[in-house]
Structures are given as C-alpha cells and as structure tokens.
Amino acid sequence: MTSFQILGHKDTRSGFGDGLLEVGKQNPEVVALCADLTGSLKMTAFQKAFPGRFFEVGIAEANMMGIAAGLSIAGKIPYTGTFANFSTGRVYDQIRQSIAYSHKNVKICASHAGITLGEDGATHQILEDIGMMKMLPGMVVINPCDYNQTKAATIAIAEHYGPVYLRFGRPKVPVFIPEDMPFVIGKALHLLPGTDLTIFATGHMVWKSIEAAEQLAKEGISAEVINIHTIKPLDEEAVLDAVSKTRAVVTAEEHQRNGGLGDSIAQLLARRLPAPMEMVAVNDSFGESGKPEELMEKYGLSTRHVVEAAKRVLERKK
Amino acid sequence: MKNDIKTLERIATQVRRDIIRMVHGAQSGHPGGSLGCADLLVALYFEVMEHNPDFNMEGKNEDLFFLSNGHISPVWYSVLARSGYFDLKELATFRKINSRLQGHPATHEGLPGIRVASGSLGQGLSVAIGAAQGKKLNNDPHTVFVLMGDGEQQEGQIWEAAMYAAHHKVDNLIGIIDYNDKQIDGPVHEVMNVGSLRDKYEAFGWQVLEMNGNDMQEVVETLYHAKTLTGKGKPILIVMSTIMGYGVDFMMNDHHWHGVAPNDEEAARALAQLEETLGDY
C-alpha cells in the first residue's frame, strides 16, 4: 500500500489564513470580514495586505452575515471568519434568509470546529454545524483535512458562485496532502487503495483513518481510504463505485453522527446500494474541556476507534 | 423635482388600490403597513432614486432600495411594477402558487427589483450596509436606502448594524423607520417600547431626521435633504411617522389591519375611497 509522508504539522486554520491572502492577491473582488477573532482565524495577513478590503465587525456575528450578503450584491466575494459555533448555530436564520435563500456568493469560513477546539469546552465545540449547513438548499459544505487542503480549498471556493461553508480547526495536525494538489469541489479524493472495506473520512479524521488503514494492513485487512472533503454536494459516483467493490463501509468525522458525513453516505447507500456500515462520530453528546487528543479518545474519535469500526463492519459483511 | 407633488400623490393612490386588490385577491397579506408606506415608496421610485428598471443584481451606478420589513411586500411589488420592473398583470399572482411575488420578497424566483430575501425581521439594515460599503469599494457614488419597521427595532441585530454603520462611517446609507406605533400584538409602545428612536440612533452616531410619511411634499423634500447629507461621515436615519392603513378610513390606526385581508365588502368600501388614477392591473 501507499504510505503517506508527513510533511510537517500545521493547523488547518493557518491553511485558511494563507489561502485567504493568496486568493486576495489573485482576485481583487475578494473581501474579508471578521468578528473579533482576526488572530485566531489567521486573517491578520489579509488584513495587513488589504486593509480596505477587510471589515472588522466586532462581536456581532448576525450583522456580519448580513453585511457579507450586502457586499456580495456589489459583486464582492466576501469571506466571513469566526469560530464554527458562531458561524452557524448563532446565525442560522441570517444565513438561511440573507445568504442561502437569497443565493449570495458568501464564503462562511469557520475555525475551531469540533471537539479539537479543546480546553474551551462544549460551549465552543460545535459538533452539529455540518448538519445545519448541509440542510440549507444550495449550500456547499467543505471540511478539509490538513493545512495544504484547507489552503487549496480557500482559494478554490472563490471560483464557485454561491454560498459555501468551509470548516476547519484549531490544533496542529499532520500535513500530508501534496502542496500542489488542486482542490476540486465535490470530488472525492482516493488516498489509499483497498479491497476489504472503504473508509470515508473528512476533516481531522482523515489522517486517523490513514493510520487505521496502516494498522489494519498489518493484520491482513485491506482498507481503502477515501477523503470526502466536500460533504455537499457529495461525490455519489465515487461512493457508489467504491462500495460496489468493497461492500463494507466505515465513515469517520469529528461531528455528531446525526447530520454528518456518515448520515449523508447512509442516505445514499440506503437508496442505491445497501451495505454494512459503521460510523465513527460523536453519538448525541456535547463535548467538554480537555486536550484535543484526550477528547478525541474519550469521544470515540481516535485511530483505534476507526480500526475497531472496520473490524465490526467486516464481521457484518461475512 | 422631476414630478409635481400632485402627480406623485395620484400614483400613490393607484398604488394603494393595487395593495387592496392584491391582498384581497390573495385573501392573505399585510395591507396596513403597505398603505402607510405607499407615499414613501412612490417618492423614492418615481422621484428621488436614480434607478434602472432594466434590473441587474449588482445595481452599479444606481441608487438601491432594500425592504427589511418584508411583510409590506404589496406596496413594493406595486411600485416596482408601476415603475417598469415587471408586467403589471403579474400583481394578480401575489401570494399564489408558482408566482414570483412571494408573500415576503425573495430573489429565489428571480423577480426584478429584489436583491435579497426579507421577512424574518432585523436583517435588512445589515445587508444594506454591506451593499453601501460595496458601492464605496466600487467607487460608485450612489446611495443605498433601507426601510425598516418600528417594531423591527426590537431585534438585536438592528443595533449591531446601527453600531457598525456609525463606526465604519457608512455615510452613503439612508435608513428609514416606518414609525406607525403598530405591531401584531398592539401598539409598539405597549408591546415593547422602542422609546426615542431619534435619541437612540443619535447616541449610536447617526444623523437623524424626521418626517410625516403621509405628506408627499414633506416626504420628497426630506428625502432630497437626506441625500444632501450623504458623504459627510455619518449614516442617516429618517424617523418617518405614518398612519397604518393610510388612505382607507376604516383601516387607519388599527393594528388589526397589520396582517389581515379585507373581505369582498371591505375591499369594495376601501376601493371606493381610492380613485383609479392610472388604471387597475
């Protein structure tokens, strides 16, 4: 099997910040807004490079979403930046009416998603955001897996007209996607070939799924790993093609089981190609304070949980 | 002035007829606030605003209007149709299935003149601010108007936006509040008193004007005056006193008519008070 080389350790939010600066250079219509978290979102470089195209809104996320919608009417491509919780749940109706229903070209960029936000605890650890965003008609939902993919996605979404939810995180995690790999919205990325089962993973769980596949290989189990960075629109063809060969599925995401990637794939497979399936996700629970890796272990999101899910699904495949 | 006041008043009377006929036809909708704001919207679209009925979404090099209190869509639809954005006949489809004239304004069906959906209250001021800042980025010297309700001032987002507009010196923006002191549950000052809107907005850093929104002469003069105040570092607010239901005696000053359609007899009584000045749709 192919083995991945770790190119370094970086936070995905830095991929967003560097991507934003880059897309700001490429496209003069790109503007950015932030709700008092410019440093946390790594938007400082854009702010310094393009002060006239950067809008500090203060702690007023609802207003930020409306202003972004208005800027898009003037032909701008607004990127909003705040934590995932304040990018979604706090402003759901603003996104729904002023952005999604109105089909505005706004890029909702959400950092500190999921449980790996860590010590701040459950008030800030949103695990429902993918579900909320994917339910909105026309919304594109992207959850990249490392620094390079986040940077590439940040640049790519400027070329897509319409609302996008881009979700990334706080901790430093392995960088393993090649720097020059183009990001194609809605296109599944085959990372490891395998014949016994397919692991569909998104966000921080992609690297853990690669680690899991490597452990499974030592036990003679061949696990295919496919990165679903775009949860909506889902690459249905790639999912069906893979499952038609392996006939056993594990999904892995740092999100509630309800409403997440696993839920989307289960819906597809139930309609088109039923197959044994296990979901590695948070199961109807809020998070808590702790170190990211401690939390990932406690809430069932570690490498070993992916390995165990793979073994369970293979039992059911027999 | 492009028109004399009498001409504008006659247009407003026809718009009021359209409102009654649309809401009666749908047996659904919000006649009260629509009637109260007919003079303002006629003054904007037929006199004060530079705008292009060959609609494009970006609206570069023209004045823009946003309706934040989207439930008074009938008055907007009538004024848009009568200023050439779409066929008058389409007014008959208001609130009916497969119509572009949704109960609350929307872009989704592609109705010319609408740039964002509204109806869920409190959002339009933010959108208008963004559009105004977009104009500045585009070196477009035109003005953005936004109409809000008085009850709508109870929404927290309004005050986020009010703070922002002053802080960022969004001085190509003219906000207007329809101050009729009526909301669904009763008089605004009884349901949830919004207090002195002049004092509140001035404290937030806005330049505040007042006008009688049912006096065409005063509406036109105040709007032109407000335009002369743009570009001076402050967003501008007009507290516009209106009478809900203005033009139809039994609807005036009665919050019951906020969101209730007239029956056949009531519609006939209302239309008898409103001269058909331009021809019904």
Side-chain angles (χ1 to χ4, degrees):
Chain A
M1 63 188 281
T2 320
S3 67
F4 273 87
Q5 196 188 343
I6 295 184
L7 309 167
H9 285 78
K10 284 184 179 178
D11 44 0
T12 51
R13 57 180 164 153
S14 286
F16 165 68
D18 292 347
L20 183 64
L21 178 63
E22 186 66 31
V23 75
K25 289 177 187 164
Q26 292 173 9
N27 190 332
E29 302 296 354
V30 168
V31 298
L33 304 89
C34 189
D36 196 36
L37 287 167
T38 308
S40 295
L41 267 286
K42 306 291 180 187
M43 297 170 86
T44 313
F46 182 96
Q47 180 187 24
K48 282 189 176 147
F50 308 107
R53 290 155 56 191
F54 179 84
F55 301 93
E56 173 63 76
V57 298
I59 309 164
E61 295 83 5
N63 187 41
M64 177 165 73
M65 293 304 166
I67 290 172
L71 283 162
S72 78
I73 290 169
K76 304 301 156 192
I77 307 172
Y79 283 61
T80 67
T82 183
F83 290 170
N85 188 22
F86 314 136
S87 295
T88 56
R90 190 179 180 92
V91 292
Y92 196 65
D93 188 48
Q94 284 77 17
I95 294 173
R96 182 176 180 276
Q97 175 172 283
S98 295
I99 296 175
Y101 181 42
S102 297
H103 196 57
K104 293 299 173 228
N105 194 18
V106 175
K107 315 306 171 189
I108 302 162
C109 303
S111 184
H112 294 54
I115 209 160
T116 50
L117 171 143
E119 292 82 349
D120 278 347
T123 54
H124 289 50
Q125 290 161 339
I126 198 159
L127 293 161
E128 306 86 35
D129 53 327
I130 290 174
M132 282 190 281
M133 290 297 109
K134 81 177 188 183
M135 277 200 293
L136 291 169
M139 181 69 73
V140 169
V141 179
I142 298 171
N143 186 22
C145 64
D146 77 346
Y147 169 90
N148 283 339
Q149 192 176 70
T150 309
K151 183 177 176 183
T154 303
I155 295 166
I157 58 177
E159 300 299 319
H160 168 86
Y161 188 92
V164 174
Y165 180 62
L166 180 66
R167 176 196 212 239
F168 42 89
R170 175 179 181 236
K172 289 189 166 63
V173 292
V175 181
F176 55 97
I177 298 292
E179 192 178 359
D180 57 355
M181 180 177 283
F183 186 89
V184 183
I185 294 171
K187 187 81 183 148
L189 185 59
H190 291 73
L191 295 177
L192 292 176
T195 52
D196 295 327
L197 76 150
T198 305
I199 303 172
F200 295 105
T202 196
H204 290 146
M205 291 306 292
V206 175
W207 179 253
K208 293 190 183 299
S209 297
I210 291 170
E211 288 182 330
E214 286 169 352
Q215 285 188 24
L216 288 164
K218 288 176 192 158
E219 301 179 41
I221 297 169
S222 171
E224 177 181 36
V225 177
I226 295 180
N227 171 211
I228 305 288
H229 49 64
T230 308
I231 292 140
K232 185 184 172 187
L234 185 66
D235 189 344
E236 297 193 352
E237 201 177 328
V239 172
L240 293 171
D241 185 54
V243 177
S244 68
K245 291 171 191 156
T246 59
R247 292 278 174 177
V249 178
V250 169
T251 59
E253 61 193 306
E254 188 186 347
H255 188 271
Q256 297 289 352
R257 183 189 293 174
N258 278 331
L261 169 66
D263 164 305
S264 289
I265 289 179
Q267 283 190 45
L268 171 66
L269 296 179
R271 283 186 287 115
R272 301 281 300 278
L273 186 63
M277 181 167 175
E278 292 287 331
M279 298 180 187
V280 177
V282 175
N283 187 13
D284 201 28
S285 162
F286 290 104
E288 65 178 83
S289 292
K291 290 189 166 52
E293 282 306 314
E294 293 170 348
L295 293 165
M296 294 291 265
E297 174 62 31
K298 179 168 177 177
Y299 287 86
L301 302 176
S302 68
T303 300
R304 109 180 138 76
H305 292 100
V306 182
V307 170
E308 288 165 6
K311 290 179 178 171
R312 283 199 306 276
V313 86
L314 288 177
E315 282 299 312
R316 292 169 57 203
K317 186 185 174 183
K318 282 175 185 169
Chain B
M1 275 188 60
K2 300 175 211 158
N3 304 280
D4 61 43
I5 294 299
K6 194 78 196 159
T7 302
L8 294 171
E9 286 173 344
R10 287 173 64 79
I11 299 170
T13 300
Q14 183 66 51
V15 166
R16 288 189 163 95
R17 281 186 69 86
D18 291 347
I19 292 165
I20 296 294
R21 296 181 71 241
M22 288 164 73
V23 176
H24 174 251
Q27 278 301 294
S28 168
H30 298 75
S34 297
L35 291 167
C37 291
D39 303 300
L40 171 76
L41 266 78
V42 168
L44 284 170
Y45 276 85
F46 287 87
E47 178 63 36
V48 177
M49 280 177 23
E50 292 172 27
H51 66 104
N52 181 8
D54 294 327
F55 176 73
N56 74 81
M57 180 56 78
E58 290 192 12
K60 280 180 183 160
N61 299 312
E62 60 178 314
D63 295 331
L64 303 184
F65 173 78
F66 291 93
L67 181 67
S68 189
N69 49 332
H71 55 273
I72 67 164
S73 56
V75 63
W76 198 14
Y77 294 153
S78 167
V79 167
L80 285 172
R82 292 201 175 269
S83 41
Y85 282 80
F86 53 86
D87 195 321
L88 273 178
K89 290 194 190 76
E90 206 168 339
L91 295 178
T93 70
F94 173 60
R95 280 188 176 240
K96 293 176 180 165
I97 191 127
N98 298 323
S99 173
R100 298 195 293 180
L101 278 62
Q102 292 292 296
H104 293 82
T107 60
H108 193 258
E109 289 74 22
L111 186 68
I114 314 290
R115 291 190 165 85
V116 75
S118 62
S120 176
L121 294 172
Q123 301 185 27
L125 181 56
S126 302
V127 177
I129 290 168
Q133 290 193 297
K135 283 202 174 295
K136 289 192 175 210
L137 288 174
N138 291 335
N139 297 313
D140 174 350
H142 286 77
T143 303
V144 175
F145 294 87
V146 55
L147 176 59
M148 302 171 271
D150 50 2
E152 187 179 15
Q153 304 302 305
Q154 293 155 2
E155 292 280 8
Q157 186 181 346
I158 291 284
W159 303 101
E160 294 183 4
M163 192 182 299
Y164 178 99
H167 178 90
H168 284 281
K169 299 183 168 54
V170 185
D171 57 6
N172 54 343
L173 174 76
I174 299 175
I176 301 156
I177 296 174
D178 177 21
Y179 184 52
N180 59 20
D181 198 32
K182 299 285 182 294
Q183 61 186 110
I184 293 177
D185 277 357
V188 173
H189 70 273
E190 287 180 15
V191 174
M192 180 53 60
N193 194 357
V194 297
S196 168
L197 293 171
R198 169 185 276 279
D199 289 350
K200 283 187 169 72
Y201 274 85
E202 281 180 347
F204 274 74
W206 289 53
Q207 171 88 41
V208 179
L209 308 174
E210 294 179 22
M211 70 181 179
N212 176 355
N214 297 129
D215 178 330
M216 187 63 82
Q217 179 89 36
E218 189 172 324
V219 169
V220 169
E221 285 173 2
T222 309
L223 289 172
Y224 274 128
H225 176 54
K227 262 195 151 179
T228 68
L229 298 174
T230 58
K232 298 185 191 304
K234 283 186 175 187
I236 295 144
L237 181 81
I238 304 172
V239 181
M240 176 179 76
S241 296
T242 65
I243 293 174
M244 177 176 272
Y246 191 84
V248 177
D249 56 7
F250 62 90
M251 290 186 175
M252 282 166 65
N253 277 318
D254 183 355
H255 73 265
H256 167 71
W257 290 103
H258 167 90
V260 174
N263 62 27
D264 292 351
E265 183 269 328
E266 290 163 337
R269 272 168 62 205
L271 292 173
Q273 300 171 35
L274 299 165
E275 186 191 348
E276 187 181 343
T277 53
L278 301 178
D280 287 338
Y281 63 83

